Amino acid sequence: MIKRRCKTFGCANLHNNKSGYCNACTQKHASDYTDTRESSNDRGYNYKWRVFSQNYLKEHPKCTICGAPATVTDHKDTPAAIMLDLYGRFDLDPTHYQALCTSCNTRKAKEDQQKVEQYFTKKENGYPRGEGQKNASEATTAPVRAVNTHGTFYKGVPADGEKE
């Protein structure tokens, strides 16, 4: 079998592995990846998620960005890490997801990483939702009256000069 050069930038080792990496680089990359990354189940991608994702991709076979065949169910609005931190699980409502191809998902993941870093930075500084906490005024209570809205009574705030 012909020996080839390792695909790692700057590595001059020769190998005959199918992966394209020499044994030393393969071990290095594997240890870098497994030391820091939790299992998919620990990251919220459990059996219910996998079933939901498979069904979603059957219903939405094309990437919403480029139109290529979709391979990934992506969190459209809220990145996965933030959703897990806020709710402790993924909301399996199809309106919160989009079908993407692998390359579009990778591109979007880089953008989402900035959102995640900003969210957790704000959370560490004491702003759990990150918006309006700094300049928020003290909560006030106003007298409440019942309001008839289409036959249903709701509590509402009385207008100026109006009695309860």
Side-chain angles (χ1 to χ4, degrees):
M1 193 174 227
I2 299 173
K3 290 200 173 204
R4 296 173 293 182
R5 209 169 170 179
C6 181
K7 292 192 321 188
T8 304
F9 181 75
C11 181
N13 292 340
L14 297 175
H15 66 87
N16 55 6
N17 299 331
K18 289 182 179 180
S19 67
Y21 297 98
C22 67
N23 293 338
C25 290
T26 301
Q27 289 176 348
K28 181 185 179 298
H29 294 304
S31 66
D32 287 349
Y33 186 75
T34 56
D35 288 345
T36 59
R37 191 149 166 113
E38 298 174 331
S39 71
S40 61
N41 203 36
D42 291 341
R43 289 181 284 131
Y45 299 101
N46 56 14
Y47 177 76
K48 286 182 180 180
W49 166 259
R50 286 189 284 276
V51 170
F52 170 79
S53 179
Q54 287 173 352
N55 292 336
Y56 189 85
L57 289 174
K58 284 178 187 174
E59 294 174 15
H60 305 88
K62 298 212 180 226
C63 176
T64 57
I65 296 174
C66 70
T71 57
V72 180
T73 304
D74 179 63
H75 306 271
K76 187 175 11 178
D77 304 321
T78 307
I82 296 174
M83 192 180 287
L84 282 177
D85 186 59
L86 289 174
Y87 311 115
R89 60 179 173 72
F90 291 140
D91 180 14
L92 300 180
D93 180 7
T95 60
H96 297 288
Y97 298 95
Q98 63 185 350
L100 296 180
C101 65
T102 305
S103 62
C104 289
N105 185 54
T106 303
R107 228 175 295 121
K108 186 175 176 296
K110 290 178 183 175
E111 296 169 8
D112 286 350
Q113 187 60 34
Q114 293 175 345
K115 290 180 186 177
V116 170
E117 288 172 3
Q118 289 173 352
Y119 168 81
F120 283 108
T121 301
K122 288 179 181 180
K123 185 177 177 182
E124 287 174 6
N125 293 334
Y127 309 118
R129 298 278 171 145
E131 298 173 353
Q133 298 294 328
K134 208 183 255 185
N135 300 321
S137 60
E138 291 294 322
T140 58
T141 57
V144 177
R145 69 174 172 85
V147 177
N148 186 353
T149 307
H150 302 288
T152 308
F153 284 91
Y154 295 99
K155 289 187 175 183
V157 178
D160 290 336
E162 191 177 21
K163 294 183 181 179
E164 288 186 31

